[in-house]
Amino acid sequence: MDTQQAKERIDFLRSELHKHNYLYYVKAQPEITDYEFDKLLKELSELEKQFPQFYDPNSPTKRVGSDITKEFAQVKHEYPMISLANTYTEGELRDFDQRVKKILGEQPEYVCELKFDGVAISLKYIDGKLVQAVSRGDGVVGDDVTNNIRTIRPIPLTLHGNDYPKEFEIRGEIFMPHSVFESLNQEREEIGDAPFANPRNATAGTIKLLNSAEVARRKLDCYLYYLLGENLPYQNHYDNLQKAKEWGFKISEHIERKPNINGVFEYINHWEKLRKKLPYDTDGVVIKVNDYSQQNILGLTAKTPRWAIAYKYKPEQVSTELLSVDFQVGRTGAVTPVANLTPVKLGGTIVKRASLHNADQIALLDVRIGDFVYVEKGGEIIPKIVGVDQSKRSLFSKPISFPTTCPECGSKLEKPEGEARHFCPNQYNCPPQIKGRIEHFISRKALNIDGLGEETVALLYNNGLVNDVSDLYRITREQLLSLDRFAEKSADNAIQSIEKSKSVPFPRVLYGIGIRYVGETTAKGLAFHFGSIENLANASIDDLLNVEDVGERIASSIKDFFSNPINLKIIDNLKKAGLQLNLSENELQLKSDKLKGLTIVISGTFNRVSRDELKELIQQHGGKNVSSISASTSMLVAGDKMGPAKLEKANRLGIKIISEDDFFELINSAN
Ligand code: IVH
């Protein structure tokens, strides 16, 4: 590499690393794995050593993360939140063992733990109560995310027993179990939000949410692995963790003491395959010197302790040839590049296709058709390409050109500000978007038309029988029978299930219509708030913002939807077909008018009913539920874990605050 080339590569790596640093630390939306990030950082660091003339005090090698989102209060960590040095090879781990033994002059006992792949958190307890939860931030200052963390069930709010220190901190990893991750992503795809790439990204995104009710819904989990404080009961890590388990903390079952480095390797080898069967992601093993006095002798370096180290498993990777790239268009118009590969075995399955995510990713990897690429299966749904074997690049490799027009309909693609993806704007004439919307409409949580499926939708569309969801209600038995796929019985079934969908309640119909960003929960909230599609269509932005969980983005998407004559026509057709486009008498029926004229805010979580049920009750008794407190609020129903900001505001405005029990007394009292 000559000087000019080196300069270009250094500039490129610095700007990439700055970008990914920002995505990770500020936006909580990382696009690459730690492993990939580490690799780029290492490459940069080596080039900087080789070409010292390009020194820059602001290089990402001089600074690992610092910017913090401004929305949460910032808290300085009492003990800095240092992280661990990473190793990827047996040799590096043996070096660690040698260093430790040399400093200590003896063989220490090691503790081996799984390295959970989530987001680090520090919890402070005083007198057995959780008082504060702070994210890592830049290690010195983090975000106060206590309200969000309180919603995580495995984290104890008050401790068991009476032998815990008066004040201490405990650190651990918050993560999203696979099952939760999968249903969250499914939900996101259904409403047109980009799915999270893996459970760690989903966890980071969740902890940063300002709406802690949504955090609670996402069912995060947490293992604790590190205690800090003046008066811990034991002088070693292992015994303290076992004690913490008695106090009610979730401590992994898979922690083991090992007398030496060979024992550590046994543990590493044992978990290499087994870890894939765990219901959450792990990316390595953490090795800690058990004894505190030995830990103290070893001390810390600037960023990491000398008494602990992480051994990271290499993600399983294979190399194969990239044959071609398809550009797939989804229901929302997002265009995803998908690589066709020479089939290759990876993690027990044959991989033929892999995602390239978006145009930026193609440029970052500098991948070309004909290249031998490395394919990895992480926590991701489809495998992805993580690098190129440059040594095998042929003279005939061809750069991938990202299309400027939609591969399906030819429209000019758009790339909205702040989006990494390209979109086809031709919503109503682009085939995969049309078919995608119909598939969503018939899906289980929407109209649940089980006599049809993805292939049938394609067939109906290709034969000119459906072009939008309302066309489904015009299909005749004869038309179906004219298609190869249908026999008497299957045609009857399809017609029957279409007919049956006419009685699906309004909230699910609203969800099925597929307004961008309107998921199942939001659709339900909107349906109960407005009662009918007309009211919703006529609602102003302000009216919409009054519905809980509806923010600017959703409100303007709803406005856009109803200002489009094509959508209005479809809705009119659905109405004529007899679908439920308003709440039924039953749903509408008020149980009483005890709350008539009252504007009620609810906050926190409740014991007798869920938040949604409580909102429905308010409605059923004639009241109006709104999300934020103002001077015109009549009362606040305060549940557990109520937000301090709401409480403060209610007090300041002199709003009446009642408990959940008070509320039930109110609605159950004699008329
Ligand atoms: S101990 C000073 N133990 O990995 C030691 N960390 O790369 C503090 N992690 O910052 C960390 N599992 O977010 C420790 N069993 C475990 C862990 C673990 C995951 C994370 C943690 C840490 C990072 C270091």
Side-chain angles (χ1 to χ4, degrees):
M1 193 179 273
D2 66 30
T3 317
Q4 181 55 30
Q5 283 170 329
K7 172 88 178 72
E8 279 169 18
R9 187 70 187 161
I10 287 176
D11 286 347
F12 174 74
L13 288 169
R14 281 180 182 162
S15 89
E16 276 306 317
L17 286 161
H18 277 309
K19 182 179 96 183
H20 288 293
N21 193 67
Y22 170 78
L23 284 171
Y24 188 96
Y25 282 100
V26 183
K27 307 256 302 187
Q29 282 172 350
E31 285 178 1
I32 60 176
T33 62
D34 283 0
Y35 180 71
E36 292 166 304
F37 188 94
D38 287 350
K39 231 167 50 181
L40 294 175
L41 195 64
K42 195 160 165 216
E43 188 190 344
L44 175 60
S45 160
E46 269 160 16
L47 280 174
E48 286 179 344
K49 260 186 233 138
Q50 222 179 319
F51 298 91
Q53 63 267 48
F54 301 127
Y55 172 81
D56 174 2
N58 285 326
S59 168
T61 52
K62 304 279 175 296
R63 172 193 86 134
V64 183
S66 88
D67 295 325
I68 298 162
T69 322
K70 283 284 173 279
E71 297 128 332
F72 294 98
Q74 316 236 306
V75 180
K76 187 161 189 284
H77 291 290
E78 194 169 323
Y79 308 89
M81 248 176 123
I82 47 180
S83 73
L84 300 172
N86 287 330
T87 57
Y88 293 92
T89 63
E90 180 175 337
E92 287 172 298
L93 197 51
R94 289 200 185 276
D95 290 347
F96 163 79
D97 178 52
Q98 291 300 334
R99 261 193 323 271
V100 165
K101 285 192 295 207
K102 193 164 161 213
I103 299 176
L104 294 178
E106 60 180 326
Q107 171 68 63
E109 181 180 52
Y110 290 119
V111 176
C112 295
E113 301 171 13
L114 293 172
K115 188 172 188 304
F116 306 105
D117 195 7
V119 174
I121 191 75
S122 188
L123 310 174
K124 185 188 260 178
Y125 286 79
I126 299 180
D127 293 326
K129 300 214 163 15
L130 174 68
V131 293
Q132 196 168 52
V134 184
S135 70
R136 180 206 301 280
D138 63 0
V140 179
V141 175
D143 288 341
D144 182 336
V145 287
T146 317
N147 283 338
N148 284 349
I149 295 310
R150 281 213 175 95
T151 69
I152 300 176
R153 298 294 170 112
I155 295 182
L157 301 177
T158 54
L159 302 183
H160 308 175
N162 52 14
D163 55 351
Y164 41 77
K166 182 164 174 50
E167 183 170 343
F168 69 97
E169 278 187 44
I170 188 163
R171 293 184 177 167
E173 200 84 353
I174 310 218
F175 59 91
M176 188 177 281
H178 294 149
S179 56
V180 178
F181 171 72
E182 273 152 28
S183 54
L184 173 65
N185 259 358
Q186 196 187 343
E187 212 174 278
R188 288 176 72 86
E189 303 232 37
E190 279 168 7
I191 65 170
D193 270 355
F196 287 111
N198 55 47
R200 176 167 42 74
N201 292 9
T203 307
T206 302
I207 291 172
K208 292 259 173 186
L209 288 173
L210 288 170
N211 174 352
S212 58
E214 176 62 16
V215 180
R217 229 171 54 78
R218 293 199 191 167
K219 302 201 183 67
L220 295 172
D221 204 342
C222 179
Y223 276 120
L224 285 315
Y225 47 61
Y226 184 36
L227 281 126
L228 284 150
E230 302 281 314
N231 297 306
L232 301 177
Y234 298 100
Q235 271 313 302
N236 72 76
H237 173 68
Y238 185 86
D239 289 335
N240 278 331
L241 281 187
Q242 300 313 314
K243 193 76 205 170
K245 197 183 274 183
E246 290 175 23
W247 298 333
F249 290 106
K250 185 160 171 173
I251 309 288
S252 170
E253 297 291 320
H254 310 305
I255 302 178
E256 281 181 46
R257 285 170 292 187
K258 295 289 178 188
N260 53 40
I261 200 70
N262 289 335
V264 170
F265 282 116
E266 282 167 20
Y267 184 91
I268 289 175
N269 295 336
H270 174 77
W271 282 105
E272 168 129 39
K273 285 219 163 56
L274 260 189
R275 72 191 180 100
K276 305 207 169 117
K277 298 210 157 60
L278 295 170
Y280 46 81
D281 280 352
T282 57
D283 60 346
V285 166
V286 179
I287 300 105
K288 302 172 183 171
V289 169
N290 191 21
D291 187 88
Y292 285 166
S293 55
Q294 290 179 333
Q295 288 189 5
N296 285 335
I297 296 171
L298 289 160
L300 314 171
T301 71
K303 284 188 240 150
T304 58
R306 272 196 212 90
W307 48 263
I309 198 157
Y311 174 86
K312 293 241 226 172
Y313 291 115
K314 271 204 202 65
E316 202 180 340
Q317 221 179 55
V318 286
S319 153
T320 185
E321 192 180 359
L322 194 163
L323 304 172
S324 63
V325 176
D326 293 334
F327 293 87
Q328 287 184 349
V329 184
R331 161 166 82 92
T332 59
V335 180
T336 310
V338 179
N340 295 309
L341 309 166
T342 302
V344 62
K345 203 163 171 207
L346 175 65
T349 53
I350 306 281
V351 173
K352 296 183 204 126
R353 290 158 74 73
S355 173
L356 277 161
H357 297 292
N358 53 48
D360 293 351
Q361 183 71 5
I362 293 176
L364 173 65
L365 294 171
D366 177 28
V367 55
R368 303 187 192 176
I369 291 167
D371 271 345
F372 278 80
V373 293
Y374 297 111
V375 182
E376 235 176 53
K377 233 193 230 167
E380 290 78 13
I381 322 147
I382 16 177
K384 60 177 185 170
I385 293 179
V386 294
V388 174
D389 185 348
Q390 295 285 352
S391 69
K392 286 199 191 159
R393 172 161 288 176
S394 105
L395 283 175
F396 306 105
S397 70
K398 245 180 45 203
I400 298 167
S401 55
F402 205 93
T404 51
T405 56
C406 175
E408 301 279 346
C409 74
S411 306
K412 196 162 178 302
L413 297 183
E414 290 171 359
K415 189 165 181 263
E417 182 119 357
E419 262 285 358
R421 300 176 297 174
H422 287 75
F423 285 84
C424 166
N426 186 17
Q427 282 183 54
Y428 298 100
N429 293 302
C430 180
Q433 297 190 58
I434 297 172
K435 285 183 279 185
R437 279 194 299 272
I438 299 173
E439 283 158 20
H440 169 73
F441 185 79
I442 66 175
S443 66
R444 197 174 47 79
K445 289 183 184 168
L447 279 287
N448 192 19
I449 304 183
D450 52 11
L452 305 176
E454 197 179 318
E455 282 169 39
T456 328
V457 169
L459 192 68
L460 295 174
Y461 171 76
N462 293 339
N463 283 281
L465 292 177
V466 294
N467 200 52
D468 69 57
V469 298
S470 70
D471 294 335
L472 290 171
Y473 298 92
R474 280 185 248 220
I475 296 178
T476 63
R477 187 173 183 273
E478 289 62 43
Q479 282 173 327
L480 291 182
L481 284 173
S482 74
L483 303 171
D484 279 351
R485 198 188 162 82
F486 283 95
E488 303 265 335
K489 188 150 190 267
S490 50
D492 284 341
N493 275 343
I495 295 289
Q496 239 172 50
S497 64
I498 292 173
E499 197 54 34
K500 208 172 88 196
S501 73
K502 291 182 182 171
S503 58
V504 165
F506 175 44
R508 275 170 51 197
V509 180
L510 184 56
Y511 167 65
I513 287 171
I515 304 174
R516 195 149 185 198
Y517 307 127
V518 174
E520 221 187 335
T521 319
T522 310
K524 197 166 170 203
L526 290 166
F528 277 98
H529 191 95
F530 292 103
S532 72
I533 200 118
E534 276 92 13
N535 291 349
L536 177 64
N538 293 327
S540 69
I541 290 274
D542 281 344
D543 295 338
L544 291 166
L545 289 174
N546 253 327
V547 183
E548 183 142 37
D549 292 337
V550 174
E552 301 278 347
R553 187 178 72 147
I554 300 180
S556 72
S557 162
I558 295 170
K559 269 307 269 182
D560 283 353
F561 182 88
F562 287 108
S563 58
N564 187 324
I566 300 180
N567 292 331
L568 297 180
K569 180 81 197 132
I570 294 172
I571 287 168
D572 194 47
N573 289 340
L574 289 178
K575 199 180 300 166
K576 286 187 184 133
L579 273 84
Q580 306 297 316
L581 291 168
N582 47 257
L583 290 179
S584 67
E585 281 304 310
N586 237 347
E587 287 162 320
L588 265 179
Q589 197 145 63
L590 295 188
K591 295 207 167 126
S592 84
D593 58 0
K594 292 207 186 89
L595 305 178
K596 195 170 164 195
L598 300 182
T599 307
I600 301 175
V601 174
I602 69 170
S603 179
T605 57
F606 299 90
N607 297 315
R608 298 207 211 168
V609 285
S610 72
R611 285 171 58 88
D612 283 338
E613 283 162 347
L614 185 60
K615 288 181 209 164
E616 257 180 78
L617 280 173
I618 293 175
Q619 197 132 14
Q620 285 167 348
H621 290 273
K624 186 174 165 201
N625 170 241
V626 295
S627 57
S628 60
I629 297 178
S630 70
S632 61
T633 305
S634 322
M635 61 176 70
L636 171 72
V637 188
D640 292 342
K641 307 179 210 157
M642 166 170 151
K646 266 193 182 150
L647 182 61
E648 194 272 329
K649 193 164 179 192
N651 279 327
R652 187 156 40 83
L653 295 173
I655 309 273
K656 182 169 168 192
I657 301 175
I658 65 168
S659 69
E660 182 180 359
D661 288 342
D662 296 339
F663 176 83
F664 278 98
E665 228 165 85
L666 189 64
I667 58 172
N668 292 328
S669 63
N671 242 335

